[in-house]
Amino acid sequence: MSQVTEYSSKVMDHFSNPRNVGEIENASGVGTVGNAKCGDIMRMYLDIDDEQVVRDAKFKTFGCGAAIATSSMATELVKGKSVQEAMSVTNKAVMEALDGLPSVKVHCSLLAEQAIHAALWDYSQKNDITIEGLKPPVNDIDETEEFYKMQSGE
Ligand code: FES
């Protein structure tokens, strides 16, 4: 993807009209992640049925516009997927679905990926289910961000 310097119309749309804002009562999995550097926090709720398919996803984000847009898109992408398929909703996938993010905002999409993982982790622990590639959530995604930067050579 070429270098993006502005918010795409999709980002603006999901920021001004976010989908799936709110909570799910008795959610199958709930995950909260934060980034200590910017202070933004995201909470993700997943409703998962007996077939291990995500039936509903909602979020609450206390954060910047890009964090709101990425949470909104992440909930849209994760709905209807099996818990294993939900692992494919990475920050890259979310960014692609939003037609990119400015590079200074890439970490916001990482918050969305990590919030999904944290909610899946909660679900997997409660139900004694193994989801391939899923790791325990970190409290501060700042550390993950450093790791991600190292990997992508940013
Ligand atoms: Fe913190 Fe966007 S600036 S998540």
Side-chain angles (χ1 to χ4, degrees):
M1 197 182 289
S2 59
Q3 191 79 13
V4 180
T5 52
E6 291 180 349
Y7 289 131
S8 69
S9 54
K10 277 195 194 163
V11 173
M12 289 313 291
D13 176 31
H14 277 264
F15 167 58
S16 352
N17 178 26
R19 282 54 149 190
N20 312 308
V21 176
E23 293 177 26
I24 297 176
E25 229 178 289
N26 301 319
S28 320
V30 183
T32 308
V33 291
N35 183 326
K37 220 190 252 170
C38 65
D40 292 351
I41 295 168
M42 193 181 287
R43 179 169 294 166
M44 187 75 65
Y45 301 82
L46 297 178
D47 183 21
I48 299 164
D49 70 12
D50 294 342
E51 309 293 312
Q52 299 184 17
V53 173
V54 179
R55 288 292 164 213
D56 200 8
K58 291 209 184 296
F59 78 92
K60 276 188 164 175
T61 291
F62 183 76
C64 73
I68 290 167
T70 51
S71 345
S72 168
M73 183 55 92
T75 51
E76 286 287 90
L77 291 177
V78 94
K79 277 203 269 182
K81 289 197 166 48
S82 72
V83 290
Q84 194 61 60
E85 287 166 350
M87 290 296 290
S88 67
V89 183
T90 57
N91 77 308
K92 223 173 148 210
V94 173
M95 280 202 303
E96 268 167 22
L98 286 169
D99 293 338
L101 276 176
S103 57
V104 291
K105 289 283 162 187
V106 170
H107 76 274
C108 317
S109 62
L110 210 53
L111 209 53
E113 175 188 300
Q114 291 302 315
I116 292 175
H117 286 188
L120 287 172
W121 180 262
D122 182 39
Y123 163 78
S124 72
Q125 295 299 291
K126 281 182 187 153
N127 296 280
D128 208 12
I129 284 165
T130 305
I131 301 173
E132 215 176 304
L134 184 63
K135 297 196 179 71
V138 291
N139 291 329
D140 175 11
I141 71 126
D142 215 19
E143 297 156 27
T144 320
E145 199 187 325
E146 293 306 321
F147 178 67
Y148 169 81
K149 276 188 188 156
M150 263 162 43
Q151 276 193 325
S152 63
E154 247 181 59

